[in-house]
């Protein structure tokens, strides 16, 4: 007699039983190190809230907040520009040195084809476009390449490769750079600025444009919620700030310009409705500008700092925790003494340390309750490859 369809052999039924075959156990200290990104963002949110409360209660001057934010933004942009320039310099592949008999000549293999060069000029790489600016400027449509002033329309067929890097930099600074727009058939125009200087100039122009636009929109933003009660404003701003915290891209890398548009837009909208409760347009301008810097540009700097220097990342996290704790102490105290500031630093540091350690330990303990049982009775999972199904 044949066996039924649901027949199982008792001696061999559980021989291939597997429990949690793909489980990767967490380690405590790596989790604590990764949680510094969350602490940095939470401290940034606390710093912004403390600045708003200080401006709203006339404890802090709005010009002091905007000036300090501008100085920190310029310093951060300087570090960012140095890192980007260093990254681009590391990606440059040096050409082979010429023979003594042909010092000013290159071989036929080193000369790029004209059609390929035109395609490269009309199609910049994604890495160059993402390093074009801090999310403020528009990347030029054409690829900027050095060229001889007497031949502005084509790349020079002969190049001199000095052996000294300092002489190479000086020779590059004295060249004329051409930019060609592939969408138009006009001749390329010459520029005495290098590609990096052109990108810096475009970033500065965009920053000035945003500064002037925000200065003109400040009176309108001040009267944006004039017919709304303050209780509704506090509730809306708190909800938007919670959206910013929960939807922030904590694992975003260096290549992403705006990794969390929902989080950034929620923070900017929260700052806008909070700024509408301030007494003057100058107060609105200062707080809105500071919110754009701390929620729009500061996360980009934090990601680059974490990529470049882990010690700098930890130092920044420690500094943000101290500043956020000091701000909480100054806001909560009626007198604003330095004792209250020290107390706030101590309490917020304790909360950060307990949160990092406690949440990491809690996540490790939760892995003990993970119970995924697999065996030969599970349905087969198809594996999709380039050649077809398996």
């Amino acid at each position: 007699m044949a066996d039924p369809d649901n027949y199982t052999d008792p001696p061999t039924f559980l021989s291939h039983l597997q429990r949690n075959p793909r489980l990767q156990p967490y380690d405590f200290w790596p989790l604590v190190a990764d949680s510094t990104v969350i602490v940095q963002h939470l401290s940034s949110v606390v710093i912004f809230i403390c600045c708003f409360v200080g401006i709203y209660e006339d404890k802090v001057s709005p010009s002091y907040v905007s000036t300090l934010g501008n100085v920190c933004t310029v310093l951060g942009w300087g570090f960012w520009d140095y890192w980007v320039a260093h990254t681009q310099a590391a990606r440059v592949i040096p050409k082979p040195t010429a023979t003594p008999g042909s010092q000013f000549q290159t071989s036929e293999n080193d000369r790029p084809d004209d059609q390929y060069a035109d395609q490269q000029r009309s199609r910049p790489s994604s890495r160059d476009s993402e390093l074009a600016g801090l999310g403020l400027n528009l990347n030029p449509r054409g690829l900027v390449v050095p060229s001889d002033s007497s031949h502005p329309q084509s790349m020079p067929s002969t190049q001199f490769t000095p052996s000294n890097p300092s002489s190479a930099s000086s020779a590059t600074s004295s060249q004329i750079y051409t930019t060609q727009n592939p969408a138009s058939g006009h001749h390329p125009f010459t520029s005495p600025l290098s590609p990096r200087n052109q990108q810096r100039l475009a970033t500065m122009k965009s920053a000035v444009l945003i500064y002037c636009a925000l200065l003109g929109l400040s009176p309108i933003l001040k009267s944006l919620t004039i017919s709304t009660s303050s209780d509704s404003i506090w509730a809306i701003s708190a909800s938007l700030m919670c959206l910013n915290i929960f939807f922030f891209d904590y694992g975003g890398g260096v290549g992403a310009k705006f990794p969390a548009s929902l989080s950034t837009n929620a923070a900017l909208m929260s700052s806008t409705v909070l700024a509408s409760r301030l007494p003057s347009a100058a107060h609105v301008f200062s707080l809105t500008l500071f919110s754009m810097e701390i929620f729009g540009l500061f996360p980009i700097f934090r990601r680059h700092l974490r990529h470049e220097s882990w010690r700098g990342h930890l130092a920044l996290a420690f500094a943000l925790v101290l500043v956020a704790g000091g701000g909480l102490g100054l806001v909560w105290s009626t007198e604003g003494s330095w004792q209250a500031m020290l107390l706030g630093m101590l309490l917020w540091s304790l909360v950060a340390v307990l949160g990092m350690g406690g949440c990491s330990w809690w996540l490790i303990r939760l892995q003990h309750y993970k119970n995924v049982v697999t065996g030969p009775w599970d349905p087969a999972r198809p594996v999709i490859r380039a050649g077809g199904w398996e």
Side-chain angles (χ1 to χ4, degrees):
M1 183 177 65
D3 295 328
D5 295 337
N6 60 350
Y7 173 78
T8 55
D9 189 14
T12 61
F13 177 66
L14 299 179
S15 61
H16 299 286
L17 176 66
Q18 293 180 354
R19 177 172 293 177
N20 301 327
R22 298 179 181 86
L23 179 63
Q24 296 181 357
Y26 295 121
D27 294 330
F28 179 76
W29 291 112
L31 285 178
V32 173
D34 292 337
S35 63
T36 54
V37 181
I38 304 177
V39 172
Q40 283 184 356
H41 187 66
L42 291 178
S43 299
S44 301
V45 173
V46 171
I47 290 173
F48 172 77
I49 295 175
C50 292
C51 290
F52 166 75
V53 175
I55 295 175
Y56 185 77
E57 297 181 354
D58 291 333
K59 293 183 178 180
V60 180
S61 174
S63 60
Y64 175 77
V65 174
S66 60
T67 302
L68 185 60
N70 293 335
V71 171
C72 294
T73 301
V74 172
L75 291 177
W77 178 79
F79 283 106
W80 176 88
D81 186 76
Y82 171 76
W83 293 331
V84 170
H86 181 72
T87 303
Q88 290 182 348
R91 289 168 45 235
V92 174
I93 302 176
K95 291 188 175 182
T97 57
T99 59
S102 58
Q103 184 177 4
F104 295 92
Q105 296 180 358
T106 57
S107 62
E108 294 295 334
N109 297 329
D110 295 336
R111 297 179 182 178
D113 186 72
D114 295 338
Q115 182 179 2
Y116 177 76
D118 294 338
Q119 292 178 358
Q120 292 299 107
R121 284 194 295 268
S122 61
R123 184 177 56 190
S125 62
S126 60
R127 180 61 179 172
D128 294 336
S129 61
E130 77 182 23
L131 295 177
L134 279 175
L136 296 177
N137 62 311
L138 297 176
N139 188 29
R141 295 295 301 275
L143 180 63
V144 181
V145 295
S147 173
D148 190 3
S149 59
S150 61
H151 301 281
Q153 299 181 8
S154 63
M155 295 182 64
S157 60
T158 61
Q159 296 180 356
F160 171 66
T161 305
S163 59
N164 190 2
S166 61
S167 61
S169 61
S170 61
T172 304
S173 61
S174 61
Q175 289 176 341
I176 301 299
Y177 295 86
T178 62
T179 303
Q180 183 176 7
N181 189 356
S184 62
H186 300 287
H187 298 288
F189 59 92
T190 61
S191 174
L193 299 177
S194 64
R196 287 300 307 160
N197 290 331
Q198 291 181 10
Q199 294 172 1
R200 294 186 185 102
L201 182 60
T203 302
M204 293 179 183
K205 289 180 180 179
S206 301
V208 172
L209 179 61
I210 294 176
Y211 186 89
C212 296
L214 185 60
L215 189 62
L217 291 175
S218 296
I220 301 176
L221 297 177
K222 179 183 177 299
S223 59
L224 183 63
T225 59
I226 192 173
S227 60
T228 308
S229 62
S230 297
D231 295 337
S232 301
I233 295 299
W234 309 144
I236 292 174
S237 61
S239 302
L240 292 174
M241 201 61 70
C242 290
L243 285 178
N244 170 261
I245 295 174
F246 291 135
F247 288 94
F248 186 78
D249 189 6
Y250 297 100
V254 176
K257 287 184 181 180
F258 299 101
S261 58
L262 177 61
S263 174
T264 305
N265 292 334
L268 294 179
M269 182 57 67
S270 176
S271 65
T272 301
V273 296
L274 288 177
S276 63
R277 315 309 293 181
L278 296 179
S280 65
H283 292 70
V284 175
F285 170 77
S286 300
L287 186 65
T288 308
L289 180 62
F290 181 70
S291 67
M292 294 177 64
E293 294 169 347
I294 197 170
F295 293 120
L297 301 180
F298 191 45
I300 301 176
F301 172 78
R302 296 203 308 261
R303 289 194 298 271
H304 277 271
L305 180 61
R306 185 186 181 189
H307 177 74
E308 295 293 335
S309 174
W310 178 252
R311 293 182 178 179
H313 172 76
L314 294 180
L316 180 62
F318 183 73
L320 288 177
V321 168
L322 292 182
V323 173
L328 287 175
L330 293 177
V331 167
W332 282 343
S333 64
T334 56
E335 299 177 357
S337 59
W338 63 271
Q339 291 90 349
M341 183 177 64
L342 292 179
L343 181 59
M345 289 182 180
L346 180 61
L347 292 178
W348 183 249
S349 300
L350 185 61
V351 169
V353 171
L354 292 179
M356 294 167 61
C359 292
S360 300
W361 177 82
W362 179 56
L363 185 59
I364 293 176
R365 293 291 299 174
L366 287 178
Q367 281 195 318
H368 295 285
Y369 299 97
K370 186 177 181 62
N371 189 15
V372 178
V373 179
T374 59
W377 54 83
D378 292 334
R381 298 180 180 179
V383 179
I384 302 177
R385 299 184 183 275
W389 295 81
E390 290 188 3

